[in-house]
Amino acid sequence: TSSNSAVATVGASSGVVTAVASGTATITATSGTGTAQQTVSVTGHPSTTVVGTVQMTSSIGGIVTAGNTAYVARGTASALGIVDLPSATLTSSIALAARPVDVAANAAGTVIAVATAGPNLVWFVNGTTAAKTDSLELPTTPVRMAMTSDGSKLYVDLNNFSVEVIDVPTRTVKSTLPIGGTVMAMKMALGDSL
């Protein structure tokens, strides 16, 4: 069952959860005497209705959302774009002086990380002030990134078949993990598992 059918519904016979509109709902599943609950957040417009268009005038390296804000790696503009989703407006563009390849953010949108190639850096941006705070040099070209929901760890896939685990508060590399191939996408799942 759904606590808010205006946001999400649950199929009576299939159990499939379907997004209806933006908001939050608690989904409750019962089997025999066991019951489990999961809160779901729906963002955007699940009916696939286009409600706005934002002109980026640049190639897009990656996009991440936090709340009602989208952060866009604007590759050929060498900038991080900040988009207000409800108004479909590019509210800010932060110059990076290098080509951004991906962007990651914590769930609150207070910590933003942007990976650039040439120079190979991770730039940290204060999501509240929209200002660059500092950067961390990477050993080779970054490809994809993901950040934990609390903003404590950043995972950066590098173009040398490894992933760097960065402690965000201290801006230090905690470990480097070898991987067996190329990463096409990197996202955090519920519970902050990669």
Side-chain angles (χ1 to χ4, degrees), residues 91-189:
T91 59
S92 183
S93 190
I94 301 168
L96 298 170
R99 181 178 58 89
V101 296
D102 205 5
V103 60
N106 68 343
T110 55
V111 180
I112 316 303
V114 187
T116 62
N120 302 323
L121 298 169
V122 172
W123 286 96
F124 293 96
V125 175
N126 180 314
T128 305
T129 64
K132 291 185 292 188
T133 57
D134 54 348
S135 63
L136 179 66
E137 188 172 352
L138 298 170
T140 188
T141 307
V143 180
R144 292 283 170 236
M145 294 193 311
M147 186 181 292
T148 56
S149 61
D150 65 359
S152 63
K153 288 184 185 156
L154 177 68
Y155 297 87
V156 183
D157 171 42
L158 299 173
N159 198 26
N160 65 357
F161 303 111
S162 68
V163 172
E164 290 212 332
V165 181
I166 297 171
D167 180 75
V168 175
T170 63
R171 308 293 203 254
T172 58
V173 176
K174 289 299 185 185
S175 61
T176 302
L177 310 170
I179 57 174
T182 302
V183 173
M184 300 305 288
M186 184 182 284
K187 298 293 178 196
M188 296 306 293

